mmCIF file of all heavy atoms in Angstrom:
data_model
loop_
_atom_site.group_PDB
_atom_site.id
_atom_site.type_symbol
_atom_site.label_atom_id
_atom_site.label_comp_id
_atom_site.label_asym_id
_atom_site.label_seq_id
_atom_site.Cartn_x
_atom_site.Cartn_y
_atom_site.Cartn_z
ATOM 1 N N TRP A 35 -14.595 4.984 11.205
ATOM 2 C CA TRP A 35 -14.445 4.491 9.810
ATOM 3 C C TRP A 35 -15.679 4.879 9.065
ATOM 4 O O TRP A 35 -16.843 4.805 9.522
ATOM 5 C CB TRP A 35 -14.324 2.969 9.845
ATOM 6 C CG TRP A 35 -13.050 2.567 10.514
ATOM 7 C CD1 TRP A 35 -12.925 2.250 11.881
ATOM 8 C CD2 TRP A 35 -11.759 2.401 9.963
ATOM 9 N NE1 TRP A 35 -11.568 1.999 12.162
ATOM 10 C CE2 TRP A 35 -10.842 2.063 10.987
ATOM 11 C CE3 TRP A 35 -11.225 2.547 8.665
ATOM 12 C CZ2 TRP A 35 -9.501 1.878 10.764
ATOM 13 C CZ3 TRP A 35 -9.883 2.319 8.414
ATOM 14 C CH2 TRP A 35 -9.032 2.005 9.488
ATOM 15 N N HIS A 36 -15.383 5.379 7.816
ATOM 16 C CA HIS A 36 -16.457 5.908 6.912
ATOM 17 C C HIS A 36 -16.329 5.203 5.594
ATOM 18 O O HIS A 36 -15.345 4.567 5.284
ATOM 19 C CB HIS A 36 -16.240 7.408 6.653
ATOM 20 C CG HIS A 36 -16.272 8.213 7.913
ATOM 21 N ND1 HIS A 36 -17.345 8.855 8.411
ATOM 22 C CD2 HIS A 36 -15.197 8.566 8.790
ATOM 23 C CE1 HIS A 36 -17.038 9.567 9.469
ATOM 24 N NE2 HIS A 36 -15.711 9.387 9.674
ATOM 25 N N TYR A 37 -17.328 5.408 4.718
ATOM 26 C CA TYR A 37 -17.189 5.065 3.322
ATOM 27 C C TYR A 37 -17.476 6.339 2.515
ATOM 28 O O TYR A 37 -18.118 7.277 3.008
ATOM 29 C CB TYR A 37 -18.011 3.895 2.927
ATOM 30 C CG TYR A 37 -19.540 4.095 2.637
ATOM 31 C CD1 TYR A 37 -20.122 3.489 1.580
ATOM 32 C CD2 TYR A 37 -20.252 5.055 3.411
ATOM 33 C CE1 TYR A 37 -21.488 3.709 1.274
ATOM 34 C CE2 TYR A 37 -21.594 5.311 3.135
ATOM 35 C CZ TYR A 37 -22.185 4.590 2.076
ATOM 36 O OH TYR A 37 -23.481 4.840 1.787
ATOM 37 N N HIS A 86 -15.850 15.068 10.186
ATOM 38 C CA HIS A 86 -16.289 13.800 9.688
ATOM 39 C C HIS A 86 -17.348 13.121 10.542
ATOM 40 O O HIS A 86 -18.057 12.191 10.013
ATOM 41 C CB HIS A 86 -15.080 12.886 9.576
ATOM 42 C CG HIS A 86 -14.419 12.521 10.852
ATOM 43 N ND1 HIS A 86 -14.629 11.348 11.533
ATOM 44 C CD2 HIS A 86 -13.551 13.240 11.647
ATOM 45 C CE1 HIS A 86 -13.856 11.370 12.653
ATOM 46 N NE2 HIS A 86 -13.178 12.444 12.764
ATOM 47 N N GLU A 110 -11.747 7.406 5.532
ATOM 48 C CA GLU A 110 -12.752 7.111 4.399
ATOM 49 C C GLU A 110 -12.270 5.816 3.668
ATOM 50 O O GLU A 110 -11.090 5.733 3.321
ATOM 51 C CB GLU A 110 -12.828 8.260 3.453
ATOM 52 C CG GLU A 110 -13.353 9.498 3.951
ATOM 53 C CD GLU A 110 -14.867 9.611 3.947
ATOM 54 O OE1 GLU A 110 -15.486 8.574 3.415
ATOM 55 O OE2 GLU A 110 -15.410 10.619 4.407
ATOM 56 N N HIS A 149 -18.955 5.214 11.632
ATOM 57 C CA HIS A 149 -19.561 6.510 11.721
ATOM 58 C C HIS A 149 -20.981 6.265 12.364
ATOM 59 O O HIS A 149 -21.408 7.077 13.184
ATOM 60 C CB HIS A 149 -19.619 7.125 10.310
ATOM 61 C CG HIS A 149 -20.192 8.475 10.292
ATOM 62 N ND1 HIS A 149 -20.276 9.221 9.136
ATOM 63 C CD2 HIS A 149 -20.651 9.312 11.282
ATOM 64 C CE1 HIS A 149 -20.827 10.409 9.358
ATOM 65 N NE2 HIS A 149 -21.016 10.504 10.704
ATOM 66 N N LYS A 155 -25.543 7.788 11.562
ATOM 67 C CA LYS A 155 -25.607 7.988 10.074
ATOM 68 C C LYS A 155 -25.355 6.633 9.435
ATOM 69 O O LYS A 155 -24.601 5.798 9.938
ATOM 70 C CB LYS A 155 -24.546 8.958 9.687
ATOM 71 C CG LYS A 155 -24.642 9.383 8.202
ATOM 72 C CD LYS A 155 -23.773 10.467 7.853
ATOM 73 C CE LYS A 155 -23.744 10.643 6.318
ATOM 74 N NZ LYS A 155 -22.998 11.835 5.867
ATOM 75 N N CYS A 157 -23.346 4.913 7.669
ATOM 76 C CA CYS A 157 -22.009 4.984 7.172
ATOM 77 C C CYS A 157 -21.129 4.187 8.045
ATOM 78 O O CYS A 157 -21.209 4.362 9.257
ATOM 79 C CB CYS A 157 -21.538 6.462 7.068
ATOM 80 S SG CYS A 157 -19.807 6.694 6.661
HETATM 81 ZN ZN1 ZN B 29 -19.153 8.835 7.486
#
Side-chain angles (χ1 to χ4, degrees):
W35 297 90
H36 303 265
Y37 81 141
H86 64 99
E110 295 274 359
H149 185 179
K155 186 172 173 176
C157 171

